[in-house]
Amino acid sequence: ATLIVNTVPGTFDNDSDRNNWYAGASLWTAVDGVPGAHIGILAPSRRQENREFDIGRGTDERYSRAMRFWGATGAWDYNWEGGVQHGEFEGLQVRAWYFASDTGYSLRSHAMAPRFGLRFDATSGDRDPNDNELNTFSSLFASTAYSGLAGQIGPANAIDLAPSISFSPWPNVRLNAGVIGFWRVSQADGIYTTSGGLSRTGQN
C-alpha cells in the first residue's frame, strides 16, 4: 500500500495525503497442461478525492478484482484480462467492469516474419445518471497506451477494436501498422480522457 504525495512549494516539505491512497496485490503462476500459458489474479484498490465523472465530482473509493491469462503457443500469442470493480462514489455504489485483449498470429518462417494482431477492449459506462449506482470504469492509473500516442480517448465507457500487422523488413527493425475504432458502451455516459477526466458529457 502507498499514500499519494502532495508536491508543495519549498524544500523538503512534501507530505503524504492519507485521504488519497493506493493498495494492490497480485499472484500469478504457469498453467499446468497448457504450454506457454500463465494465469494471474490482480486486486488493485484506490481512493481518490476530487475525481470527475459525468454525474459529478467527488471522492471515489473502488476495489478491483481481476484475472489475467497470457502466453504463447505455436504461432499464437495472447494476453487477455477482465475484472470487476466495486466501492463507493459520493454515496453511490460503484458497479463497473472491464475486458482487455490482444491476440496475435505470427508467421515466423515467412519473409519479414509478419504478425497479424487484433486488440479488443471494453469498459463499462454509467447506465443511468439518476439511479443509485456509478457504472463508469476507472483504470486507477491511466496512460496514453489505451488509444495510442495521440491519447485522445481514455479507458472508460469505451469499446475499441484494433487490427494490426507488424513485420521486420530488416534485422533488428520491427514496423507496426494498424487502425483503431472507438464506440461508447453507454450513450448515457460521457467520453473520458486518458487521465480519467471528462472530455465530453453524454447527458445532452
Side-chain angles (χ1 to χ4, degrees), residues 14-195:
N14 297 341
D15 195 12
S16 57
D17 183 354
R18 297 187 178 277
N19 294 318
N20 290 276
W21 51 260
Y22 170 82
S26 62
L27 177 68
W28 62 92
T29 184
V31 179
D32 292 338
V34 183
H38 298 78
I39 192 169
I41 298 174
L42 314 171
S45 306
R46 189 175 184 187
R47 186 183 193 275
Q48 293 175 276
E49 293 184 323
N50 200 31
R51 184 74 167 84
E52 183 183 22
F53 295 99
D54 203 3
I55 61 172
R57 186 183 293 270
T59 299
D60 182 57
E61 183 174 321
R62 65 178 64 207
Y63 304 86
S64 303
R65 302 295 178 260
M67 182 174 294
R68 180 184 173 208
F69 185 66
W70 76 98
T73 178
W76 291 96
D77 63 88
Y78 50 90
N79 188 2
W80 306 330
E81 183 178 324
V84 296
Q85 293 182 330
H86 64 91
E88 185 175 328
F89 174 79
E90 294 298 309
L92 303 178
Q93 296 298 310
V94 172
R95 297 288 185 269
W97 56 265
Y98 79 99
F99 176 77
S101 68
D102 186 12
T103 307
Y105 187 84
S106 301
L107 301 174
R108 298 185 184 88
S109 61
H110 289 61
M112 296 189 290
R115 176 191 182 269
F116 301 93
L118 181 64
R119 198 184 97 189
F120 173 77
D121 306 311
T123 58
S124 63
D126 197 37
R127 295 186 295 265
D128 183 353
N130 299 312
D131 64 8
N132 62 350
E133 289 187 355
L134 174 62
N135 310 115
T136 308
F137 170 77
S138 173
S139 64
L140 305 185
F141 290 96
S143 73
T144 59
Y146 183 75
S147 56
L149 295 178
Q152 297 184 1
I153 306 264
N157 189 36
I159 293 175
D160 74 72
L161 187 65
S164 65
I165 181 173
S166 62
F167 55 93
S168 295
W170 305 284
N172 302 320
V173 174
R174 192 77 180 169
L175 300 180
N176 182 76
V179 295
I180 186 168
F182 289 97
W183 299 265
R184 279 187 297 167
V185 171
S186 172
Q187 293 187 6
D189 202 350
I191 299 172
Y192 293 85
T193 65
T194 56
S195 62

